[in-house]
Amino acid sequence: MRDETPVEVRGSFVVFRRSGRATRLLWEATAGRPARFLRPERRHGWVLYRWETQFGEVVLAHTVRGEMGMTFPSHALLRELAEDAVALAVVEPDYSPPHGPSLEAIDADGPNKYYGTTWRRLEQVLGMPAPYWHSSLRDPELMMAWRPGAATLEVPVVIVPDPGPLLRLAAQEADGSHAAVAALDTARRAVWSQAKSCHEEITKHVDTSEDLASIAIAARPLLPPEPPTVAEEILRDGWRTILNRTDTLAAECTRLGHVLGAARYFPGSREITVDTASCAQAEQWVSRLQTGPRTALAAALAAEFGGGQDQDILIDPITDMPAVRTRDGSMKTIAPQRLPAHSPLAALTIGRGHNSVWVTTQDGTVFPAPQIGGGYTYGYEGGGPMALSRLIELLLKDITHAAPGYNEDQPPAGLCHATEAGWKGRTPPFTLTRAELEGLRDA
């Protein structure tokens, strides 16, 4: 465990403040003469910088973005990366106010337990500032070219996964193509967002750190302008075109769109599992599935669950959502963001299994409940029951209303009570009619 106290959360990383530690080489030692920089080296998903110090070889390691995540040093890692080194320091992707980016170190002849150090204390051993590459700027070729005293580079951020296929698709489209606009907007927003975040983190946590003079900031992000706002209907139409294509480039762009935040423009983005025996409504839905083309959306769904090119693709002819059968006999499909229905809500069914909610309209058509955010559950106080009560309220008003997101208004108290406590003892499957749901809403 870290011998630190968390003081701030930034994104997926916790920022730590150091507490007292035992004596370690890269914490207590001070060299009497400057170290000799040996070389950079790329090895096993790392870029390493090596110095020959009066204490022996010291190595500073950065993981290469996309190849390896947050890793704390150990004797095994030291032997793997730098067997002859006396100490290994790893640049972590979090921050240690007021010292800047976190550094964790381990000594070859010490206990197999990493310890924290700072850039100023590292400089005491090296006799020179050590390079820092923000995790979004770690281009291995540029990192390998760094030498002590090098000027700070202005470089484009590294986006993982690479948005290149989106740019290729946009380049192949005709002028005015909504598909090109959607693909390019997704790539540009991914680059802009990452560059903005990188710039803000360096400005806040590195430029203002007490150890700034001991940090050789190797690179800063090239800041693109904020992308212009594109009308939502254009983005939705563009992505609909891409998702319906059957080429491999469109399939790769579909995967990228999902990862890079464009899925909100898809007709459906929430993958769900359908237990075909969970209720009569699920069986009715399965019975209408037909063999369908391997569209980009279908290919992405099949790939998500290990399906090969020979896997049968089914399609719901009413919602146009694909489905694939899994090895355990269940179905994987995509819930639509809104229902293409022409008849009002007649009943809502809670089936067996997680997130099994079915909508029946007055003309007898069955749909998987529309979804955007988290799943629907009941029987406790939490996000799932709250989302279910919001869904019911919206569908009672308008069967074609989009599924609730995370920032919807508070639903009626009667529906909240029903999904959180009122149905707690009920065993699925069970169905509530429109009249029953309206009664709960109006209670």
Side-chain angles (χ1 to χ4, degrees):
M1 297 296 291
R2 289 177 176 235
D3 184 19
E4 301 162 345
T5 303
V7 296
E8 182 184 354
V9 175
R10 288 187 54 78
S12 60
F13 301 119
V14 180
V15 179
F16 292 90
R17 179 177 289 121
R18 305 289 179 187
S19 62
R21 297 179 179 276
T23 300
R24 299 291 189 269
L25 174 64
L26 299 184
W27 177 258
E28 287 294 334
T30 300
R33 63 177 185 271
R36 181 170 64 93
F37 181 73
L38 297 176
R39 64 189 181 279
E41 180 181 345
R42 186 175 182 186
R43 190 171 185 183
H44 304 307
W46 299 79
V47 170
L48 312 175
Y49 296 103
R50 299 175 180 269
W51 287 264
E52 184 60 42
T53 75
Q54 70 182 68
F55 311 102
E57 186 173 319
V58 172
V59 175
L60 178 69
H62 292 73
T63 59
V64 178
R65 186 170 175 84
E67 292 187 18
M68 192 173 294
M70 194 166 183
T71 304
F72 299 116
S74 63
H75 281 170
L77 184 63
L78 190 149
R79 289 192 298 270
E80 178 186 353
L81 299 181
E83 186 174 4
D84 297 331
V86 296
L88 169 70
V90 174
V91 181
E92 302 291 0
D94 61 349
Y95 301 94
S96 299
H99 302 293
S102 291
L103 286 174
E104 304 286 359
I106 193 143
D107 297 338
D109 60 356
N112 191 18
K113 181 179 181 181
Y114 61 85
Y115 59 94
T117 189
T118 69
W119 295 84
R120 183 176 298 173
R121 292 180 182 275
L122 179 60
E123 186 184 18
Q124 289 177 179
V125 174
L126 302 181
M128 65 186 72
Y132 167 67
W133 296 82
H134 186 279
S135 58
S136 297
L137 303 176
R138 296 179 185 175
D139 180 323
E141 291 187 8
L142 296 177
M143 296 175 75
M144 291 292 293
W146 184 89
R147 298 295 184 274
T152 300
L153 302 175
E154 188 178 21
V155 303
V157 290
V158 178
I159 305 297
V160 177
D162 180 11
L166 292 166
L167 302 179
R168 289 197 294 275
L169 186 146
Q172 292 179 5
E173 288 289 304
D175 292 345
S177 161
H178 288 182
V181 171
L184 183 59
D185 180 76
T186 301
R188 293 183 68 182
R189 289 196 175 277
V191 171
W192 173 77
S193 176
Q194 191 69 41
K196 180 172 179 286
S197 176
C198 176
H199 171 76
E200 290 174 349
E201 289 189 8
I202 292 176
T203 300
K204 180 176 181 179
H205 294 293
V206 185
D207 291 340
T208 63
S209 76
E210 293 180 357
D211 290 18
L212 178 60
S214 301
I215 305 173
I217 301 177
R220 293 182 183 273
L222 180 64
L223 285 172
E226 182 175 1
T229 300
V230 179
E232 182 174 331
E233 56 268 24
I234 291 177
L235 296 176
R236 288 191 176 278
D237 181 67
W239 274 110
R240 187 178 296 108
T241 299
I242 295 170
L243 299 176
N244 284 331
R245 285 171 46 166
T246 56
D247 57 281
T248 58
L249 179 59
E252 178 63 14
C253 288
T254 298
R255 184 185 70 85
L256 288 171
H258 199 282
V259 173
L260 298 178
R264 62 185 179 277
Y265 303 117
F266 293 8
S269 60
R270 176 76 176 181
E271 295 165 356
I272 60 173
T273 301
V274 176
D275 179 352
T276 56
S278 64
C279 59
Q281 287 75 14
E283 294 176 359
Q284 182 177 338
W285 173 79
V286 171
S287 69
R288 74 166 180 245
L289 298 179
Q290 302 173 359
T291 301
R294 197 176 189 84
T295 63
L297 184 59
L301 177 67
E304 180 73 17
F305 300 102
Q309 289 292 324
D310 58 345
Q311 183 173 17
D312 290 338
I313 299 295
L314 302 173
I315 192 168
D316 180 345
I318 298 179
T319 65
D320 288 332
M321 292 295 110
V324 294
R325 194 177 300 277
T326 63
R327 293 191 179 111
D328 64 5
S330 62
M331 304 291 295
K332 295 287 186 180
T333 189
I334 300 173
Q337 290 196 17
R338 61 178 72 230
L339 301 181
H342 305 285
S343 179
L345 173 70
L348 186 94
T349 299
I350 308 295
R352 289 186 296 272
H354 176 70
N355 208 23
S356 179
V357 179
W358 298 88
V359 174
T360 303
T361 57
Q362 289 184 5
D363 63 4
T365 306
V366 170
F367 299 93
Q371 289 193 50
I372 293 177
Y376 303 125
T377 52
Y378 71 95
Y380 64 97
E381 293 185 9
M386 181 66 68
L388 181 55
S389 58
R390 287 173 178 154
L391 171 73
I392 295 168
E393 180 193 20
L394 294 175
L395 295 184
L396 285 172
K397 292 178 181 177
D398 179 2
I399 192 66
T400 64
H401 199 291
Y406 291 104
N407 299 314
E408 301 288 340
D409 294 334
Q410 184 78 8
L415 286 174
C416 280
H417 175 75
T419 59
E420 292 178 353
W423 301 344
K424 190 171 184 177
R426 301 193 69 167
T427 301
F430 60 88
T431 296
L432 295 106
T433 66
R434 181 184 184 93
E436 289 173 316
L437 295 172
E438 289 175 335
L440 293 171
R441 179 195 62 187
D442 300 336

